[in-house]
Amino acid sequence: MARFDCGLLNSAHTRADLQIPAPVSYCAKAVLLSCLPLLIYGGYKYGLYRLIAINPAAQFTYFGIAVLYFLGSSPSRLESILAVMGGLGLVFICPLARPSDFAGEALVRAGAFVGIGGLIAMCARAIWSRDKDLALETLARSLIFVVLGIVLGTMLGAASGLRPLKYDHFLYSIDVRFGAAISFVVGGLFRDWPLIGRFEIVVYHSLPLAFAILYAAHIRRAKQGSVDILTMMWLNAIVGYGLYFLYPAAGPLYAFGAAFPGAPPAPAHLSLQLIRLNAFPNAMPSLHMAGVVLIWWNARHWKLGGIVALAFMLLTALAAVGFGEHYFIDLLIAFPYALAIQAISTKSDRRFQALALGIAMTACWFLALLFMPKELCAAPVWLMWALAIVTVAIPLIANAKL
């Protein structure tokens, strides 16, 4: 199995040797000095604080930034207290204006605003403190999550505008060939067992936090190795969102509305044609599934971490289909796609074989979905499950050899 690294922003073993050149440091200080009031005031004026107050994905993202702040930047006790107090103050300034989406949302919101406090503290330390290098290093790590959120939101909006017609009827008809509409089955379980559904909401939204914890763990404990966690994270997001332009689909919740999950439509009553949906085309492939697969592969360096990551992966898979965000086929294709991303991010003699395999398998599935949909929709159940097993097993084996 591959060893682990954190790319250009490396582990604690290199911190003592990290020296940012003086001109770069002065430029960074000037930029941060100009951004500091924008972060404090602009976050309130332009809706960032409100977004954190109401959006679970943003809450977990900035909660992850708080994790990076405390575990990666080594703040002093006084700075930590000030960051926490500032974050909790923002909780009262931006109260939740709707019922909670999930149990513990108040705690996650508080953690997210502490993440904002941590960003402000790192900006201030990078400008005025002698310990500026570590603050700048961790600030750069943290801002990756912020920048990705902005870029991905822009890409998703563009994909939605450019590709208003969706392939949802095709994907649903293919899913039924597995013997049942799996998303409707799991969605019905969540409806009949609301306690499970409420727990799964937390699991589904917590992917950004899980990535931040994985990243922080590698920063603190990684030995010199071969997996660039930073590259893995941004490639998974950017490449995956690019694929939404190629094969836009929204998910059964958006394609079938009130019929989900209680009334799965008969495939014979659906026309195999593109349908116009006013929904984001972020179903194929499932980046939630690809993300948790990558987390599992890169957490197995720690025994307990591997067990927790495996459980997190399985629970996320249930949530992805059970909430109607994805079809079962979306989850399957996430495995060869994740293999390609892992291979690109790995320094290994076998990376090119794994990369070629991941790209080839992903491309074959996309080509089949685009040019052989009727054949897939008529395939026997045994063949679909055989394809599913191969699609999952080969990437697992190839990753183990990286």
Side-chain angles (χ1 to χ4, degrees), residues 80 221 266 310 379:
S80 299
R221 298 186 57 187
L310 176 60

Side-chain angles (χ1 to χ4, degrees), residues 90 114 178-179:
L90 289 174
V114 170
F178 287 97

Side-chain angles (χ1 to χ4, degrees), residues 41 63 67-68 77 93-94 100 113 143 158 175 241 263 267 273 297 299 317 322 338 360 374:
Y41 175 70
F63 195 173
V67 171
L68 286 175
R77 181 176 300 177
I93 295 174
C94 306
S100 294
F113 280 119
L143 290 178
D175 261 18
Y241 272 64
Q273 61 184 12
W297 284 347
K374 293 183 179 179

Side-chain angles (χ1 to χ4, degrees), residues 169 172-177 264-272 377:
H169 281 187
Y172 174 79
S173 298
I174 292 170
D175 261 18
V176 173
R177 301 312 302 168
H269 296 161
L270 296 177
S271 58
L272 286 181
C377 293

Side-chain angles (χ1 to χ4, degrees), residues 118-198:
L119 286 176
I120 295 172
M122 284 186 288
C123 284
R125 196 194 328 162
I127 295 169
W128 290 294
S129 173
R130 295 180 179 178
D131 186 22
K132 60 181 181 297
D133 291 348
L134 185 55
L136 283 172
E137 182 189 3
T138 308
L139 184 62
R141 294 190 185 107
S142 302
L143 290 178
I144 291 167
F145 291 85
V146 178
V147 172
L148 272 181
I150 297 171
V151 172
L152 298 180
T154 303
M155 290 181 66
L156 196 55
S160 185
L162 293 173
R163 303 299 304 269
L165 300 179
K166 311 296 193 295
Y167 285 93
D168 284 77
H169 281 187
F170 294 88
L171 295 178
Y172 174 79
S173 298
I174 292 170
D175 261 18
V176 173
R177 301 312 302 168
F178 287 97
I182 295 176
S183 57
F184 283 77
V185 173
V186 181
L189 172 69
F190 291 172
R191 178 198 59 196
D192 297 336
W193 297 83
L195 185 62
I196 296 177
R198 288 195 292 270

